[in-house]
Amino acid sequence: MFPSAKRKRLTAVLIFCLSAALPAAAQEPSEAQRPNDLAFCKDSIAQELSARAALVKGDAFLYPDRDADLRQYVNFMYSPAALSPALNFTGTPAEIQRCQEIAAAFQRYNDTSRCRTTLGRTLNILAGNRAVIRAKKLNTSFQWFEEMGPAYRKLMNGYDAAYRKFAEAARKLKNNVDLKGVKASGPYPWNVGFADVVVYAGLNEYVQKELRAKPYFENEMRVLDSQIVACSDSKLNEQKSMFEALKKEWEKAHASFIQAKEAVLKLPGYAEIQPIVDADEKILLNAFDLLDGALKTIESLNDGDTIGGSLRTWKNVAATAFDTGDSISSGGGPVYTRRLRKSLAELRRIWNDSVAHLDVAYGGSPGWHTMKY
C-alpha cells in the first residue's frame, strides 16, 4: 500500500492524464450546461436563419432535386424553438434584459396566428403535393411549345394550303377546267397525270404515292401528339384545381405572417429577429412565384391565341385539312396523327369522285386514276 500522501499525488496525476486523453469536445460543457447568455441568443437566431437559407435562395422552389431542402425546413419549423423567454438567462443585467427582449419578440412572432406552425404546414402541403415537380413539368411543356410550336404550326399550315390546292384542282378537273401549269397528255384538261397534280398542289412535300403521309411528316405529328398528351385538358384541369387549392393555403399563411410581423414591429427585441422575419417573407414570396407561375402557365396553355394554346386546342392550325369532325380525344387533345390520316382519306375521296365523274363523262377507262383506300 502507498502512504496516504503518495496516494493523493498519484490520484491527482491519474486524473490529469485521463482529462488530457479526452477529446476537446468532451471537456466542453454540454448544451444544457452552456450559459444562456447573449451569445446563445445570437447563435439561436443564426440557426434559424441557416435553416431558412436554402429556401430564401429559392432553388427549392425551382428544382425538384432540391426537395430535401423543403422538407428539412418543414421539420425545423415543427421542432421546438431553442430560444424561449422561459430560459434562465445569464450575463450582466443589461445583457439579461436584452436576452429576455429578444426571446419575447421571437416567441410573440412565432405564436401570433400560429405563424411558425402555419408556415411549416403550408410548405409541408406544398411538398406533399409535389408542387415543384408539377410546376416544372408544366413549364417544360410551355417552353417546348414556345420553342418548337412556330415550326410545327408552319408545317401544318403548309400542308393545309397544299390540301386545299389539291382539292380545288380535283374539282376543276371534274368540271373540265384547265390547270394552269400542268400539261395534259391528251385533248382534255383532265387528262393529266395524278403525280403532276400532287406536285402542282405542293402535296409532294408531305405525301407519298396513293396519298400516304411521308414518314417524317407522320412522325412529326406523333411527336406533337405526345407533347399534347403531357398537358391534355384533363391533366391541366387537375393541375389547375391543385394549384388553386395550394394558393388558398398560401393566402392563409401569408395572412398569418402579416399579423405576426405587425405584432412584433414595435417590440424592443425586433431588431435582432428582423432577419428571421425578412427570411420568412422571402420564402413566402418564392412560394407565391411558384404557384402563381404554374397557374399562369396553365392559363397560357389553355389560351387558343398563344402558340401553345393554338396547337393544344387546334385553333388556327390546318383549319381545313384537319377539320375532320372529331374535335378532341378522350384525354382532351386534337390527336394530329388521326386528323392527318382522315384528311388524306378525304383527299382520296375527293380525287376518286372527280375520276369517277370523268370516266362517265368522257368514256375513259374505269378507275384510270382511282386512288385505293
Side-chain angles (χ1 to χ4, degrees), residues 53-331:
L55 271 66
V56 169
K57 185 178 179 183
D59 287 355
F61 298 99
L62 298 174
Y63 308 110
D65 59 353
R66 301 299 297 272
D67 181 67
D69 293 334
L70 202 58
R71 297 189 181 278
Q72 286 174 7
Y73 169 83
V74 170
N75 291 336
F76 185 84
M77 295 298 276
Y78 275 121
S79 302
L83 187 58
S84 168
L87 295 173
N88 185 23
F89 295 108
T90 61
T92 66
E95 290 174 341
I96 292 174
Q97 181 180 354
R98 197 68 191 140
C99 288
Q100 291 172 340
E101 290 171 348
I102 295 170
F106 183 60
Q107 181 168 310
R108 179 77 175 276
Y109 172 70
N110 287 334
D111 291 350
T112 300
S113 298
R114 301 182 65 197
C115 182
R116 186 181 184 89
T117 54
T118 301
L119 286 174
R121 176 179 175 275
T122 300
L123 272 294
N124 190 36
I125 293 174
L126 191 147
N129 282 278
R130 303 192 306 163
V132 177
I133 295 175
R134 292 171 184 260
K136 181 68 174 177
K137 288 182 177 180
L138 282 170
N139 187 63
T140 298
S141 292
F142 174 79
Q143 292 299 331
W144 188 90
F145 282 115
E146 287 293 300
E147 294 172 13
M148 305 299 296
Y152 274 86
R153 188 158 62 181
K154 181 179 180 181
L155 176 67
M156 285 186 287
N157 285 339
Y159 169 71
D160 191 60
Y163 175 99
R164 286 185 277 107
K165 191 171 182 179
F166 181 88
E168 180 62 24
R171 294 187 184 98
K172 283 183 176 180
L173 293 175
K174 180 178 179 179
N175 295 318
N176 200 28
V177 177
D178 186 16
L179 295 180
K180 294 180 180 180
V182 182
K183 185 179 180 180
S185 60
Y188 305 108
W190 51 264
N191 194 17
V192 297
F194 168 74
D196 292 332
V197 181
V198 171
V199 173
Y200 163 80
L203 265 180
N204 57 308
E205 295 291 327
Y206 310 95
V207 303
Q208 302 184 97
K209 294 179 180 179
E210 298 189 357
L211 294 179
R212 303 294 177 183
K214 284 187 174 180
Y216 95 91
F217 188 36
E218 191 164 12
N219 184 60
E220 292 294 353
M221 296 302 98
R222 288 195 182 97
V223 171
L224 182 56
D225 281 345
S226 69
Q227 291 294 330
I228 291 173
V229 167
C231 54
S232 64
D233 286 350
S234 57
K235 289 182 179 179
L236 284 186
N237 289 336
E238 177 190 351
Q239 301 281 51
K240 184 180 180 181
S241 297
M242 186 206 73
F243 279 108
E244 285 177 343
L246 288 177
K247 196 169 183 180
K248 289 181 180 179
E249 291 296 328
W250 180 91
E251 289 169 354
K252 295 176 185 177
H254 186 252
S256 175
F257 165 78
I258 293 298
Q259 292 176 9
K261 181 178 180 179
E262 290 176 350
V264 297
L265 275 174
K266 296 182 180 180
L267 294 182
Y270 177 70
E272 282 75 11
I273 71 164
Q274 184 178 357
I276 296 175
V277 177
D278 292 343
D280 285 343
E281 186 168 27
K282 178 61 176 173
I283 291 170
L284 280 169
L285 288 174
N286 288 340
F288 176 84
D289 289 342
L290 168 70
L291 303 176
D292 190 59
L295 287 170
K296 286 181 177 177
T297 299
I298 293 170
E299 182 180 354
S300 176
L301 290 171
N302 276 326
D303 185 353
D305 292 328
T306 65
I307 181 62
S310 68
L311 289 172
R312 216 189 58 74
T313 60
W314 183 63
K315 181 179 180 182
N316 300 324
V317 179
T320 303
F322 285 172
D323 187 10
T324 55
D326 51 338
S327 58
I328 58 174
S329 69
S330 58

